[in-house]
Amino acid sequence: MSQVNINKLSFQYDTHGEDIFKDVSFCIDTQWKLGLIGRNGRGKTTFLKLLMGEYEYSGKITSTVKFEYFPIKVDDKNQVALEVIRQSIAPFTIWEKQMEEYLKMPDKMDMYGEILDEFIDNDGYTINGIIEKEVRNMGMDPNILTKNFETLSCGEQTKLLLVGLFLRKNYFLLIDEPTNHLDTEGRESVAKYLASKKGFIVVSHDRAFLDDVIDHVLSINKANIEIQKGNFSTWQFNKDRQDEFEILENEKLQNDIYRLRQTAKQKSNWSYKLEATKKGNGPCDRGFIGHKAAKMMKRAKCIEARQNKAIEAKSKLLKNLDVSEKLDLSISNNKLDEVLEVQNLKINYGEEDIFDDLSFNIKQGERVWLRGKNGCGKSSIIKLLIGEDIPHEGYIKKTDNISYISQETSFLKGSIGDFIIYENVNEQHLKSTLFKLGFDSIQFGKNIEDWSEGQKKKLLIARSLCDKANLYIWDEPLNFIDVISRMQIEEIILSENPTILFVEHDTSFGEKIATKTIAL
């Protein structure tokens, strides 16, 4: 058994000023299947980059294994998939060419032997068969290995690169949000594959995925980092119990502090009043009264010390309590029987029909989940409904008052002030929503392009929640969004009952909020 040891790790970005980590210490067993969770902006990806040695830090990180980060950068995607996977494991093709050359050069036999040892140690003679077997374990047809890697979908590329990652020897793998480009079926196959492996950290905000995959949780909290055995549901159960305990303890402390303050104030007032009576009835009485007043003042000071101790104890509680404040949603007051009607819709790209004769409607208060594999036309329907020029046939009747969240965040640039002016959004409502979604005020001093992907997506969600819309159309709104925020969004939707058409691969979210499903 080997471990990754983190000892007094501290790190901050020079440009940001705030501590990301401060004097953090813990150990990780390299056989664990570890889920890394925490609010957006808490430092999950930063921690993985620190393990990779990409940032300077204070403290120590020691390990007997090497680290590899996912997603892997592919230098040349214009190759057959098999070659891309081979290169992601080890430089097999380069070794083969070198060995072929050195065999012709008697003075290079020592170098030939060294490369041959590396080749054999990495299963070079059987690697193609091993890759094919792993591709089957991932639930894919091995024939995909003969295709040009660049022509594959993002989901297919993700799965193949994960296969290559797990075939690397003596590596502890750092897998950063592998589910973002995967449909529901893809997530299930990756979850099944990862569940059969060990020795990795995975960052994901998909609760069902984490429950299927991990056996330990590493949570980056408000005030510390902690490790627990179990899956996400186990962690959430324990976290809820801890939060309930801290809240109850806090209420008790608040009552104790109030009582101590009142008692200290009362004793202090008595001692001052008693001191004021020292002027009468002779020196003996004045001495007695002064002694009694001093004694009462001492008691008041003792009570004050107890009060300060209680305040100090209180300050140690609630340090990790992520209060999930209820969000606000501005729904249009217009009463419409039907906000969207689609009849006999056909969308055509070139000579290929994505689908034919699609009909559905959405009534006010319905929450409609548009489901299907990647490439089946979900985003095409969304783009058509928000007014993009998509070749189509059929009848569409829709409300004009639509609020839209796109998959993309790359267009977000500039300051939050620029965004507020350009979008003509209520500043107080927008910033209040972002605070409730876990933002710190320091975030508003940074340009939006420097925010994390999760923070950018939260900005789009907050913007949509500010709209008084008849219909909310959300295209994969939860990509990169942390678990706590997902539950807040679920709560406001179930509470306020907006009319929504959404595409989302998080099955926990979809099953909770959908009132109707359209399967493509």
Side-chain angles (χ1 to χ4, degrees):
M1 181 185 75
S2 59
Q3 290 185 330
V4 179
N5 293 293
I6 315 296
N7 187 27
K8 293 189 175 181
L9 173 68
S10 294
F11 174 77
Q12 69 171 213
Y13 290 105
D14 292 337
T15 55
H16 294 181
E18 78 269 28
D19 289 318
I20 306 298
F21 302 111
K22 188 173 179 63
D23 291 331
V24 172
S25 298
F26 56 92
C27 293
I28 298 170
D29 190 312
T30 56
Q31 296 297 303
W32 286 349
K33 297 181 281 189
L34 191 63
L36 178 56
I37 62 176
R39 282 273 205 180
N40 294 126
R42 287 268 170 85
K44 297 184 296 298
T45 296
T46 299
F47 176 65
L48 300 186
K49 297 288 188 180
L50 288 170
L51 292 179
M52 291 294 296
E54 295 188 17
Y55 301 137
E56 292 186 7
Y57 58 87
S58 62
K60 274 191 173 183
I61 299 175
T62 57
S63 175
T64 57
V65 296
K66 294 176 284 187
F67 299 104
E68 185 59 85
Y69 180 78
F70 181 89
I72 301 169
K73 183 181 178 182
V74 178
D75 294 326
D76 184 8
K77 292 187 176 183
N78 191 27
Q79 302 180 83
V80 295
L82 176 61
E83 185 59 26
V84 171
I85 304 312
R86 279 165 53 93
Q87 289 180 15
S88 73
I89 301 166
F92 292 111
T93 303
I94 293 174
W95 286 342
E96 287 168 345
K97 289 180 180 179
Q98 289 176 335
M99 286 190 294
E100 185 178 346
E101 290 175 4
Y102 294 156
L103 272 175
K104 302 173 185 176
M105 306 165 65
D107 59 331
K108 298 286 186 180
M109 291 307 293
D110 288 345
M111 297 180 67
Y112 170 82
E114 290 176 6
I115 295 172
L116 179 62
D117 288 342
E118 289 265 26
F119 191 77
I120 293 172
D121 287 344
N122 285 275
D123 302 317
Y125 287 113
T126 58
I127 192 62
N128 289 4
I130 293 171
I131 291 172
E132 184 175 321
K133 179 181 177 181
E134 288 296 291
V135 167
R136 283 196 175 94
N137 290 339
M138 182 62 86
M140 305 175 76
D141 186 339
N143 288 327
I144 198 171
L145 294 170
T146 64
K147 297 181 180 179
N148 188 295
F149 188 79
E150 197 167 28
T151 65
L152 303 179
S153 70
C154 289
E156 289 170 331
Q157 291 181 9
T158 293
K159 288 188 276 189
L160 288 178
L161 290 174
L162 279 170
V163 164
L165 196 69
F166 276 97
L167 289 177
R168 302 195 70 172
K169 293 189 174 182
N170 198 35
Y171 277 87
F172 187 70
L173 307 181
L174 314 175
I175 307 170
D176 199 357
E177 303 204 46
T179 59
N180 282 327
H181 297 295
L182 298 176
D183 55 27
T184 302
E185 185 177 302
R187 293 183 185 209
E188 290 173 353
S189 61
V190 169
K192 184 178 179 181
Y193 184 77
L194 291 184
S196 69
K197 304 296 182 182
K198 57 186 176 182
F200 61 83
I201 296 176
V202 60
V203 178
S204 178
H205 304 300
D206 187 318
R207 289 156 283 181
F209 179 85
L210 288 173
D211 275 345
D212 289 340
V213 168
I214 64 175
D215 57 22
H216 284 76
V217 172
L218 174 62
S219 57
I220 301 180
N221 304 320
K222 286 173 65 177
N224 68 348
I225 293 180
E226 62 179 357
I227 294 176
Q228 291 186 24
K229 185 177 181 180
N231 60 16
F232 175 80
S233 292
T234 305
W235 174 86
Q236 185 66 58
F237 177 78
N238 292 334
K239 183 72 166 64
D240 289 343
R241 291 184 64 183
Q242 180 64 27
D243 287 349
E244 290 171 7
F245 171 77
E246 289 188 359
I247 290 170
L248 289 173
E249 287 297 303
N250 181 63
E251 290 174 355
K252 291 177 184 177
L253 278 171
Q254 293 282 18
N255 291 333
D256 290 344
I257 289 168
Y258 176 78
R259 178 177 53 79
L260 287 167
R261 279 178 176 159
Q262 292 300 109
T263 304
K265 183 178 179 181
Q266 184 182 54
K267 295 292 184 184
S268 181
N269 287 340
W270 286 348
S271 63
Y272 283 123
K273 287 179 180 179
L274 197 58
E275 181 73 17
T277 66
K278 286 169 62 175
K279 293 183 179 180
N281 298 331
C284 291
D285 286 344
R286 286 197 298 271
F288 172 75
I289 292 169
H291 173 73
K292 189 174 181 181
K295 190 174 181 180
M296 292 188 70
M297 182 64 76
K298 186 177 181 180
R299 288 187 64 193
K301 290 294 183 183
C302 288
I303 292 171
E304 184 179 359
R306 286 171 60 198
Q307 167 197 325
N308 291 334
K309 188 175 181 180
I311 291 173
E312 183 182 356
K314 170 187 173 293
S315 67
K316 294 178 181 177
L317 291 171
L318 297 177
K319 61 183 180 181
N320 279 331
L321 184 62
D322 272 308
V323 180
S324 300
E325 294 185 65
K326 185 178 179 182
L327 303 174
D328 296 313
L329 174 62
S330 301
I331 302 176
S332 172
N333 294 324
N334 296 337
K335 300 297 181 183
L336 303 174
D337 181 42
E338 197 167 69
V339 297
L340 177 66
E341 182 182 0
V342 175
Q343 294 292 335
N344 303 319
L345 178 64
K346 177 192 293 186
I347 292 182
N348 177 270
Y349 281 117
E351 298 179 358
E352 182 180 354
D353 291 335
I354 298 179
F355 47 75
D356 191 10
D357 200 28
L358 176 67
S359 298
F360 66 92
N361 64 351
I362 300 177
K363 296 182 179 180
Q364 189 164 16
E366 288 187 324
R367 302 184 294 272
V368 180
W369 188 5
L370 195 59
R371 301 191 67 178
K373 294 182 179 181
N374 287 338
C376 70
K378 301 184 301 296
S379 291
S380 296
I381 294 174
I382 297 294
K383 290 175 182 177
L384 177 61
L385 293 177
I386 64 169
E388 290 194 22
D389 186 16
I390 304 291
H392 70 284
E393 299 175 16
Y395 172 78
I396 299 175
K397 181 183 177 182
K398 60 179 180 176
T399 176
D400 292 329
N401 190 5
I402 293 175
S403 178
Y404 170 62
I405 295 177
S406 69
Q407 288 187 35
E408 284 293 317
T409 62
S410 57
F411 64 91
L412 293 171
K413 291 179 173 61
S415 69
I416 186 68
D418 294 336
F419 180 86
I420 288 167
I421 293 171
Y422 181 78
E423 295 289 335
N424 191 28
V425 64
N426 183 286
E427 180 176 0
Q428 184 177 355
H429 189 177
L430 182 76
K431 288 187 174 180
S432 173
T433 302
L434 291 173
F435 279 128
K436 292 175 182 179
L437 288 170
F439 272 58
D440 294 319
S441 56
I442 194 171
Q443 196 65 31
F444 298 136
K446 307 172 190 175
N447 283 335
I448 298 173
E449 57 263 36
D450 296 327
W451 295 7
S452 71
E453 286 301 315
Q455 290 166 333
K456 291 176 185 177
K457 211 59 187 283
K458 285 181 179 180
L459 178 60
L460 297 182
I461 290 171
R463 170 68 183 88
S464 186
L465 294 177
C466 290
D467 287 335
K468 291 187 176 181
N470 292 325
L471 175 63
Y472 296 84
I473 297 181
W474 291 358
D475 193 1
E476 296 192 31
L478 299 185
N479 278 350
F480 303 102
I481 298 292
D482 63 75
V483 173
I484 295 171
S485 299
R486 291 183 186 213
M487 291 189 286
Q488 287 175 280
I489 295 165
E490 287 171 4
E491 181 185 1
I492 189 61
I493 290 172
L494 294 173
S495 171
E496 299 300 326
N497 200 33
T499 308
I500 301 180
L501 174 65
F502 68 97
V503 175
E504 182 52 57
H505 298 302
D506 183 334
T507 54
S508 298
F509 178 85
E511 289 169 358
K512 279 189 178 181
I513 73 163
T515 60
K516 184 165 73 175
T517 300
I518 299 171
L520 297 179

